[in-house]
Each structure stands twice: as C-alpha cells, then as structure tokens.
Amino acid sequence: GEDVEQSLFLSVREGDSSVINCTYTDSSSTYLYWYKQEPGAGLQLLTYIFSNMDMKQDQRLTVLLNKKDKHLSLRIADTQTGDSAIYFCAESDRAYSGGGADGLTFGKGTHLIIQP
Amino acid sequence: DAGVTQSPTHLIKTRGQQVTLRCSPKSGHDTVSWYQQALGQGPQFIFQYYEEEERQRGNFPDRFSGHQFPNYSSELNVNALLLGDSALYLCASSLMLYREAQHFGDGTRLSIL
C-alpha cells in the first residue's frame, strides 16, 4: 500500500535553513503537499508540487522533488521561532477516479525544533 | 472569507455511544474530506463527499458514516464508540473542478471514556 516516511525530529538554529525530508512509495502520486501543524491547531497548507515539476519556490519555502527516488524535501530559509511546528508531507493519487483532490496519505510528521 | 469551520471543538463520550461531528467548508468549496488524527500520528483519511455522495473511502469500518448537505456542509457520524476512536477529527474542503489543494479546519477533539 501507499506509505509516506519522514524523520520524527529536526533541530536547527534560528536564522539557519531547515531541510525536512520525505520519501513516498506510490509511483502514481500526482500531487505532493507540505502542511504545518501548530499545537492544538489544524493543518495549514504551506505549498504543493505537481509530479511533473522538479522544484517550486514560494518566498522562504523551496520544495524539491526527485521523482526517480520518490524523495521530496522542504527547505525553509532563515528559520524563525514561529516556524516551530510539526510538518507533514502528504501525497494524493489521481488514479482513483480521474478528478478532484483525492484523499491524502500523510507521513507521521517532522517536529521542527528551533534553537536560539 | 471564512475558512473551514468545525463543531464542536471538544467532545467527551463514553464507550458504545454515538457521536456526530459537523463541518462547514471554505466559501466556494464543494468537496469535503474527513480525517482521523491519533495522538502523535499523521492524519488518516476516512472518506470524501462530493455532490452529496461518498466519493472515496479509506480503511475505516462501517461504524464511520457521513453525510453532505446541499449547502456542501458535512457531518461525520461514529457509532458504537471504542476507546481507540479517541482522536482529533479533521475536516478538509476543496474545489473539485480545479483540483485545489485541501484546506483544513482546526478539528474536533473527541475523547472516549
């Protein structure tokens, strides 16, 4: 079945770049997403990338996709204390019914810890 | 522009009871998906509703059922509650036509005693 793997923790110094990695197994994944979850809150969509793209940049966020290795990464430049949260990688498979945003498969999340 | 809203915020039930959770999608969205997030885990997909019908379902038993109303809002019903149903239940909405990414609400925290 589909599986999404992430490291559980990442610790970085404030001002450095953070790189959160994710691997997935479903070769038919068409969209890959990054969500952020702060304590006691729901999921905030950060960015997403279509499987025919290699890279996407949005302000401090850069997403890299290596489709051959089924590896996705999220780079956060100039990491701030407000970036402290759990980051989830998720994938969807359009093959299900040919349309729409299908049910997502999530990893267990990476806790990003910011050191002063 | 209101985002996805869920009610109630917290709920406490006992084993064997039934519960109904509610979700209003983001303005302009027509598709609602439900997820269960156990403590320390990523969200697990329960099912998705579009045009008032269940369009896709994850690996959850029939005790989990849902409904979508003509105004696109949705309910999640869980019967015969088990201790293992304790979790954060998240609703997400999207627009089917343009394959928009799913936007999540803040969830309902369900505790089973």
Side-chain angles (χ1 to χ4, degrees), chain B residues 76-91:
Chain B
L76 164 66
N77 300 295
V78 187
N79 294 323
L81 286 166
L82 303 174
L83 292 178
D85 295 331
S86 293
L88 179 68
Y89 288 84
L90 295 162
C91 170

Side-chain angles (χ1 to χ4, degrees), chain A residues 8 30-31 33 35 37 40-45 48 88 92-94 96-109, chain B residues 31 33 35 37 40-45 48 55-57 88 90 94-107 109:
Chain A
L8 288 183
T30 52
Y31 282 89
Y33 303 83
Y35 284 89
Q37 187 175 38
L43 274 67
Q44 174 192 351
L45 175 67
Y48 61 97
F88 290 96
S92 72
D93 174 6
R94 190 180 179 178
Y96 177 73
S97 64
D102 298 326
L104 301 175
T105 300
F106 284 85
K108 290 187 176 181
Chain B
T31 303
S33 303
Y35 294 81
Q37 186 180 20
Q41 302 294 316
Q44 298 283 318
F45 174 66
Q48 183 180 86
R55 174 179 176 269
Q56 189 183 11
R57 190 179 183 94
L88 179 68
L90 295 162
S94 55
L95 182 60
M96 180 66 69
L97 179 62
Y98 297 113
R99 293 199 45 117
E100 279 200 4
Q102 295 179 26
H103 294 255
F104 284 78
D106 284 339
R109 174 72 62 188

Side-chain angles (χ1 to χ4, degrees), chain A:
Chain A
E2 303 160 1
D3 197 15
V4 177
E5 299 281 345
Q6 300 179 241
S7 298
L8 288 183
F9 295 96
L10 176 66
S11 179
V12 298
R13 288 185 180 276
E14 189 175 0
D16 286 352
S17 291
S18 305
V19 179
I20 303 170
N21 294 302
C22 167
T23 58
Y24 59 97
T25 59
D26 187 359
S27 58
S28 63
S29 295
T30 52
Y31 282 89
L32 294 132
Y33 303 83
W34 286 104
Y35 284 89
K36 175 183 179 183
Q37 187 175 38
E38 298 183 70
L43 274 67
Q44 174 192 351
L45 175 67
L46 291 177
T47 186
Y48 61 97
I49 189 168
F50 188 52
S51 58
N52 69 352
M53 299 169 64
D54 298 324
M55 185 182 86
K56 181 178 181 181
Q57 189 155 3
D58 184 0
Q59 299 182 337
R60 291 193 298 125
L61 305 179
T62 302
V63 178
L64 295 178
L65 175 61
N66 181 329
K67 196 174 180 183
K68 174 177 171 289
D69 294 337
K70 298 186 188 130
H71 181 268
L72 182 74
S73 68
L74 173 69
R75 177 177 179 269
I76 305 172
D78 186 25
T79 307
Q80 302 298 309
T81 55
D83 295 324
S84 179
I86 303 175
Y87 290 80
F88 290 96
C89 170
E91 62 91 21
S92 72
D93 174 6
R94 190 180 179 178
Y96 177 73
S97 64
D102 298 326
L104 301 175
T105 300
F106 284 85
K108 290 187 176 181
T110 299
H111 294 243
L112 179 61
I113 300 163
I114 315 301
Q115 299 174 16

Side-chain angles (χ1 to χ4, degrees), chain B residues 17-22 34 46-47 49 54 57 60-69 74-81 85 89 110:
Chain B
Q17 284 189 312
Q18 178 264 344
V19 69
T20 298
L21 310 181
R22 295 176 176 81
W34 287 92
I46 303 174
F47 44 53
Y49 277 83
E54 184 181 290
R57 190 179 183 94
F60 278 79
D62 291 345
R63 297 187 298 110
F64 290 78
S65 64
H67 190 76
Q68 186 180 34
F69 298 94
S74 177
E75 289 182 349
L76 164 66
N77 300 295
V78 187
N79 294 323
L81 286 166
D85 295 331
Y89 288 84
L110 176 63

